[in-house]
Amino acid sequence: MTHLDLSPRIDDPDRLYAALVEAHEGLDEAASLRLQARIILLLANHIGSTATVCAAIDEARRFG
Amino acid sequence: MPSTYAQPHYAYRPSPQAEATHPVVVVGAGLVGLTVALDLAQRGIDVVVLDDDDTVSFGSRAICFAKRTLEIFSRLGLGEAMLAKGVQWNTGRVFAGVREIWHFDLQPEPGHAHPAFVNLQQYYVEEWLVAACEATGRVDIRWKHRVSAIDPREDGAVLSVDTPDGAVTLQAGWLLACDGARSFIRESLGLPFVGQVFRDRFLIADVVMQAPFPPERWFWFDPPFHPGGSVLLHRQADDVWRIDFQLGWDADPEAEKQPERVRARVQAMLDMAVAPGIAFELEWVSVYTFRCRRLERFRHDRVIFLGDAAHQVSPFGARGGNGGVQDADNLAWKLAAVLRGEAPEALIDSYDAERIPAADENISHSTRSTDFITPKTKAAHAIRDAVLDLAARHAFARPLVNSGRLSRPAVLTGSPLSTQDDWDGGVPPGAPAQDAPVQRDGAPDWLLAHLGGDFTLLAFDPPAAIEGAVVVSSNPAPGAFWDSEGQAFARYAAGPGSVVLIRPDQHVAARFRAYDPEAVAAARSRALGA
């Protein structure tokens, strides 16, 4: 599955946003980066497709 | 100085002032130069080898000899000595801190004559290669001969060589540059050697100790005895142990080499990782940085580059020495066939076609391992540490841990010498032949020992006799190799009547479901560059 689904799919957007931000509370920059990386890796494994994750990386990098 | 090894010093013999052109001159009597010289000599070619020193490698250097290299050395007659002297291992363990997070078995299935790896100091292998070269009567190793200039020509090269008796001139029909990462030949020809430099330094310490420790590869990320860095431990012959410490770019190489400093590092590590207070002696110390790079082409008319002179990798994955030996294995039979007039000179171009992709594969693996061990940015560091965090708890993250992807034989996919087919599975054209346990006339044997040297036709249960073929039978038959465990048929995906054409370097050239003399002859001719 290489298709990256960009249609609105998040079931509880406000809660998701808050959770992403709150996860970093009390962490310095290095710890935050490491946490962020753990989250990405967990989600990447859940998705299970390197091609899909690469499509997400490409899309994310379009914003400079 | 090493206490476990007496460095041999070979006699310098003066070169004659005027000589005829030598068919092949090898520059560099190191691992790769000696291997290609021996292989050529065993194929009936006279070889002159020039070396600026009078001895084998100083220090243990390339210690991990992979299965494919052992198979090549077995073909050349050194395999048994390497298996007898070396430390055989198949398992690697990776630790984050002191906790084991991942281990791998490099040879999970039985039925191979050689283990995944043998650890052995490079100087032993070079010493045996020198003796084997001399035993052929065809290799003239000239010690204390330093090449000072090269004049490449259409039909060979003219070399100016400094010797203890002054300068001499040598003419070579073919020049094989095996003169290492700082190749003088490469620099003289002004050939760009491009790639990546890694901003990191590593300390190698070879120590002698009696340790109750398994013959495995152990790799630590951020252990308490070396916080923030990585450490690698390998066992070699003679109770010598290789320990690599990652020092970081800012380390002072001279200060780090001071014996007291090294001793303190090693003691701290051994106390925690092996046994408290264990005694050891320092054998050899070196501090190195590394690069991953290669020449754009390895063949430049009659000058051909092999090993580190052609391509350089980081040590993680043991791809330097093993890659170089495969270069020698690939080139020797081709050059011998050209020199004997059995193949057109164009066959030599297939060395580039086959070994450049192999070098790229080694460089890619080595670069990825290095990027994991030495992250370049804060973000890369965070991703690496996140992988280690997760790997301790979750199986899914363990395959991402990269402490070195260990050398695998090159599968020469897309080689112009291969005849393509539509088989499903088995050993595809370009891949090295697979070993299998067999029995001949009641005696246990290994299939691979009977392949290579020259072109070999491997025939599975042939319905009629094929002259010169190596026959694998599913039932005991006189003179045939009985596939007593069914491994040969299975590994080659062969059926009754299948034939496989094996090149002189044991790589598969072509496969057929049934023997057709014309098709086999055409495949052989294609594999000879016709």
Side-chain angles (χ1 to χ4, degrees):
Chain A
M1 217 278 298
T2 59
H3 174 68
L4 183 67
D5 196 337
L6 292 169
S7 64
R9 284 163 51 82
I10 295 167
D11 58 348
D12 191 345
D14 288 348
R15 188 168 152 243
L16 178 83
Y17 188 89
L20 286 173
V21 173
E22 282 162 15
H24 294 270
E25 264 175 28
L27 299 182
D28 63 17
E29 197 185 344
S32 264
L33 267 176
R34 190 158 163 171
L35 171 80
Q36 202 94 288
R38 285 197 295 268
I39 296 169
I40 291 167
L41 290 163
L42 286 159
L43 294 173
N45 181 62
H46 184 82
I47 293 162
S49 157
T50 300
T52 303
V53 175
C54 288
I57 292 169
D58 289 344
E59 180 59 27
R61 282 183 63 95
R62 285 181 53 198
F63 297 83
Chain B
M1 288 297 283
S3 63
T4 59
Y5 182 69
Q7 198 90 14
H9 290 277
Y10 299 105
Y12 156 77
R13 288 187 300 264
S15 279
Q17 273 303 324
E19 294 182 276
T21 299
H22 299 287
V24 182
V25 172
V26 173
V27 179
L31 178 67
V32 177
L34 292 167
T35 302
V36 76
L38 178 60
D39 205 341
L40 283 164
Q42 291 189 354
R43 296 176 190 283
I45 306 299
D46 290 334
V47 185
V48 170
V49 182
L50 306 177
D51 195 89
D52 57 3
D53 204 352
D54 70 347
T55 185
V56 295
S57 111
F58 185 77
S60 57
R61 297 175 63 191
I63 57 165
C64 297
F65 293 91
K67 179 168 176 283
R68 180 66 199 137
T69 299
L70 297 170
E71 291 168 355
I72 293 166
F73 282 134
S74 283
R75 180 172 63 72
L76 296 173
L78 300 180
E80 274 183 31
M82 293 187 70
L83 291 178
K85 180 75 183 174
V87 174
Q88 303 186 21
W89 64 277
N90 292 305
T91 301
R93 294 185 194 280
V94 181
F95 301 82
V98 289
R99 181 170 180 181
E100 181 179 328
I101 52 167
W102 167 243
H103 68 266
F104 47 86
D105 183 349
L106 294 163
Q107 188 149 284
E109 57 164 35
H112 296 266
H114 299 100
F117 277 91
V118 156
N119 283 359
L120 183 63
Q121 295 88 320
Q122 184 172 333
Y123 40 71
Y124 281 116
V125 183
E126 291 187 9
E127 189 181 329
W128 300 337
L129 282 166
V130 168
C133 279
E134 284 174 350
T136 65
R138 291 192 176 276
V139 184
D140 176 1
I141 308 179
R142 300 189 185 182
W143 305 101
K144 297 275 185 196
H145 280 58
R146 180 191 297 272
V147 178
S148 62
I150 169 170
D151 176 14
R153 300 186 179 173
E154 218 169 74
D155 61 348
V158 178
L159 297 169
S160 305
V161 181
D162 289 337
T163 78
D165 289 314
V168 292
T169 300
L170 260 78
Q171 300 195 51
W174 292 86
L175 182 76
L176 309 188
C178 305
D179 52 345
R182 286 186 290 268
S183 170
F184 172 80
I185 304 291
R186 189 187 65 228
E187 283 169 15
S188 304
L189 298 183
L191 301 172
F193 199 39
V194 284
Q196 276 192 63
V197 183
F198 294 93
R199 291 170 60 84
D200 205 342
R201 294 183 203 279
F202 288 79
L203 170 74
I204 295 182
D206 273 2
V207 308
V208 188
M209 64 175 171
Q210 313 283 329
F213 206 77
E216 297 177 341
R217 176 189 194 263
W218 286 34
F219 192 106
W220 288 264
F221 288 102
D222 192 24
F225 47 82
H226 188 59
S230 64
V231 177
L232 174 60
L233 177 68
H234 264 296
R235 181 178 191 158
Q236 310 172 46
D238 305 332
D239 291 318
V240 176
W241 300 72
R242 160 77 61 84
I243 309 171
D244 275 54
F245 293 92
Q246 181 182 28
L247 299 177
W249 184 243
D250 296 330
D252 173 351
E254 285 315 307
E256 292 296 345
K257 270 192 271 193
Q258 295 309 307
E260 284 322 302
R261 187 125 165 195
V262 178
R263 246 183 266 279
R265 278 196 194 284
V266 171
Q267 192 73 64
M269 181 223 166
L270 296 179
D271 283 352
M272 205 174 285
V274 180
I278 193 164
F280 68 92
E281 271 177 67
L282 268 189
E283 175 102 341
W284 176 60
V285 172
S286 173
V287 172
Y288 64 92
T289 58
F290 49 74
R291 297 153 186 260
C292 290
R293 53 185 178 169
R294 72 160 165 88
L295 281 171
E296 192 186 348
R297 286 178 294 122
F298 300 163
R299 180 186 178 190
H300 293 263
D301 299 319
R302 292 294 190 92
V303 180
I304 305 173
F305 291 86
L306 292 85
D308 284 357
H311 43 73
Q312 207 183 344
V313 292
S314 82
F316 300 101
R319 290 169 178 271
N322 290 302
V325 170
Q326 288 178 64
D327 287 347
D329 178 52
N330 189 279
L331 182 62
W333 69 272
K334 295 175 180 174
L335 187 54
V338 170
L339 288 167
R340 290 196 307 243
E342 295 163 8
E345 195 174 317
L347 176 61
I348 303 301
D349 289 331
S350 72
Y351 172 71
D352 267 1
E354 295 186 336
R355 293 308 300 168
I356 287 176
D360 283 345
E361 189 178 309
N362 285 332
I363 287 170
S364 164
H365 279 295
S366 168
T367 301
R368 286 174 171 182
S369 300
T370 307
D371 282 341
F372 194 91
I373 295 163
T374 304
K376 289 194 192 71
T377 62
K378 277 186 192 170
H381 217 289
I383 294 165
R384 196 281 300 272
D385 289 343
V387 167
L388 296 175
D389 291 343
L390 291 168
R393 191 172 299 172
H394 301 294
F396 86 81
R398 288 168 201 156
L400 298 168
V401 175
N402 190 342
S403 72
R405 301 287 184 225
L406 285 133
S407 176
R408 306 266 309 138
V411 174
L412 309 170
T413 308
S415 164
L417 306 187
S418 295
T419 299
Q420 297 308 323
D421 59 44
D422 56 2
W423 287 36
D424 194 15
V427 185
Q434 288 274 316
D435 207 354
V438 288
Q439 289 189 33
R440 182 159 62 172
D441 304 325
D445 206 336
W446 294 99
L447 182 60
L448 206 56
H450 302 276
L451 306 177
D454 198 351
F455 280 90
T456 314
L457 194 66
L458 184 58
F460 292 85
D461 279 343
I466 304 170
E467 200 192 327
V470 169
V471 173
V472 175
S473 61
S474 49
N475 292 301
F481 293 101
W482 171 37
D483 188 17
S484 50
E485 296 175 31
Q487 304 264 29
F489 273 86
R491 286 183 183 153
Y492 285 86
S498 296
V499 293
V500 179
L501 180 65
I502 313 278
R503 305 183 348 182
D505 59 2
Q506 297 179 328
H507 283 254
V508 170
R511 306 180 288 183
F512 304 95
R513 283 294 176 197
Y515 178 56
D516 169 355
E518 280 177 29
V520 170
R524 188 178 190 277
S525 172
R526 183 184 181 90
L528 279 167

